[in-house]
């Protein structure tokens, strides 16, 4: 193992937290407004984060005229593999004859074009908590410096449009750049909550777009195969659930979307077939005993059952049972039954299994009720 690989494999408890784009934008708004009033750009500013702690941000660049000041910081996402890590986050502040605080997005901040997001259509994609944070530091300055005027604030991310290509913003209807995000102000490395929040957002957008059939996948490869399988569905209908199967199903049920299709590969879907709704490899290893039991149930000969028990991966099991339609159909049906059982709600569920190369090896379609006689548990 290389030294670089060793360095990358950190204990999660030792990983360094970072800061959200919302926290960076708030800090730079405070810095720019301070500079506008006093004539001096600070080297750093401190703000209070929603998580309940203070944080200090360096001002890494600025532009100053008589009427406005722009301050910039470099976003530090800590040890999280965040698309916006090292992004330049800017806030430009100027006095306004209009009373109140007027917040908008500039270059590299996306604009909302679809319903279902927490920001109205037409507005800059600056989420509610960052808006509240930015407004709070402006109100604090208005009071501290006893200013009797309005304030314009423009948040920009010079490379935001390019960064947005690495995100799902386009599908969510956020066009022209990234979103200014963050409910806590800090970025937790490999945060489950951040991914889950993006799933909820995607389901809300799909609902508002009129989707009555969602296709949920475990990753980009399975989503590509799903899009070929369901070419008639609009882009919003496809949602990458990652490992969060149960969480995603619950939120689809909550939105009363009547049809859902699960599309993926045997490794993670063999776990769903057992009723496991969080399919991360560390949370739940593949059960070869379960797969051998299902093989026995559909009449697979004993010698092959023994080979399944000795297998190293679920893909190896798929190779052993290649062409056995009964096995893969039973596995897919089991996924549907456990999905229905998990949500305890009326829904029409389908499941499709693919190999890594994109070959469809099994299907179960339009399962809307549990069949105890057919359900292998």
């Amino acid at each position: 193992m290389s030294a670089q690989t060793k360095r990358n494999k950190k204990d999660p408890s030792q990983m360094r937290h970072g800061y959200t784009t919302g926290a960076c934008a708030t800090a730079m708004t405070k810095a720019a407004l301070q500079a506008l009033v006093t004539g001096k750009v600070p080297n750093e500013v401190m703000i209070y984060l929603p998580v309940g702690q203070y944080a200090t941000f360096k001002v890494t660049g600025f532009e100053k005229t008589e009427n406005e000041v722009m301050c910039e910081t470099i976003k530090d996402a800590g040890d999280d593999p965040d698309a916006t890590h090292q992004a330049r986050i800017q806030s430009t502040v100027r006095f306004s004859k209009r009373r109140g605080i007027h917040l908008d997005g500039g270059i590299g901040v996306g604009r909302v074009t679809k319903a279902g997001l927490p920001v109205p259509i037409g507005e800059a994609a600056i989420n509610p908590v960052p808006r509240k944070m930015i407004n709070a530091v402006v109100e604090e300055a208005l009071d501290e410096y006893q200013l009797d005027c309005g304030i314009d604030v423009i948040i920009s991310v010079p490379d935001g449009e390019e960064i947005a290509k690495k995100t799902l913003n386009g599908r969510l209807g956020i066009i022209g750049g990234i979103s200014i995000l963050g409910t806590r102000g800090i970025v937790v490395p490999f945060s489950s909550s951040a991914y889950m929040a993006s799933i909820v957002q995607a389901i809300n957008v799909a609902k508002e777009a009129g989707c009555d059939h969602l296709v949920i996948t475990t990753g980009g490869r399975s989503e590509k195969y799903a899009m070929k399988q369901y070419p008639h569905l609009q882009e919003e209908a496809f949602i990458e659930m990652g490992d969060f199967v149960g969480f995603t199903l619950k939120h689809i049920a909550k939105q009363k979307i009547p049809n859902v299709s699960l599309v993926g590969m045997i490794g993670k879907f063999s776990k769903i077939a057992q009723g496991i709704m969080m399919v991360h490899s560390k949370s739940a290893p593949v059960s070869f005993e379960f797969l051998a039991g299902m093989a026995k149930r559909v009449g697979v000969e004993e010698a092959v059952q023994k080979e399944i028990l000795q297998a190293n991966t679920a893909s190896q099991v798929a190779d052993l049972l290649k062409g056995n339609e009964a096995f893969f159909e039973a596995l897919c049906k089991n996924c549907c039954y456990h999905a229905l059982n998990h949500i305890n709600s009326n829904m029409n569920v389908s499941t499709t299994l693919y190999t890594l190369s994109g070959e469809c090896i099994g299907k179960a379609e339009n399962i809307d009720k549990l069949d105890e006689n057919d359900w292998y548990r």
Side-chain angles (χ1 to χ4, degrees), residues 18 25-26 94 115 131 148 174 190 213 231 254 272 311 329 338 341 355:
T26 301
R94 56 178 172 260
R131 284 175 182 269
D148 186 26
I174 299 167
F190 301 94
H213 181 182
K254 186 177 179 182
I272 301 171
E329 182 183 357
H338 278 296
N341 186 58
T355 64

Side-chain angles (χ1 to χ4, degrees), residues 182-257:
T183 55
R184 289 156 46 90
I186 62 171
V187 176
V188 179
F190 301 94
S191 169
S192 295
S193 60
Y195 195 89
M196 290 158 80
S198 72
I199 291 170
V200 172
Q201 202 169 62
I203 293 168
N204 291 344
V205 168
K207 173 74 171 179
E208 291 293 331
C211 298
D212 63 359
H213 181 182
L214 298 190
V215 182
I216 56 178
T217 65
T218 51
R221 192 194 299 257
S222 50
E223 185 180 74
K224 183 176 75 173
Y225 301 150
M227 285 180 164
K228 288 182 179 177
Q229 182 177 341
Y230 297 101
H232 59 288
L233 294 181
Q234 60 203 82
E235 189 180 42
E236 292 88 348
F238 297 89
I239 295 171
E240 284 188 38
M241 63 181 169
D243 297 323
F244 303 99
V245 183
F247 176 84
T248 305
L249 287 167
K250 289 271 190 186
H251 277 273
I252 292 172
K254 186 177 179 182
Q255 289 289 0
K256 295 182 167 37
I257 294 171

Side-chain angles (χ1 to χ4, degrees), residues 88-92 104-109 154-159 180:
R88 295 157 58 202
I89 311 294
Q90 301 177 342
S91 179
T92 302
D104 203 357
I107 186 170
V109 173
I154 308 294
I155 307 301
S156 303
V157 183
D159 302 316
I180 304 299

Side-chain angles (χ1 to χ4, degrees), residues 12-13 49 63 75 109 114 132 140 148 216 229 273 297:
S13 66
L49 303 174
E63 291 177 5
K75 181 188 168 180
V109 173
K114 293 180 183 178
K132 186 177 179 181
E140 185 182 290
D148 186 26
I216 56 178
Q229 182 177 341
R297 193 167 188 264

Side-chain angles (χ1 to χ4, degrees), residues 29 91-93 101-104 134 138 151-155:
T29 299
S91 179
T92 302
V93 175
I101 302 166
H102 312 286
L103 175 61
D104 203 357
I134 292 166
V138 175
I151 300 291
D152 291 340
V153 180
I154 308 294
I155 307 301

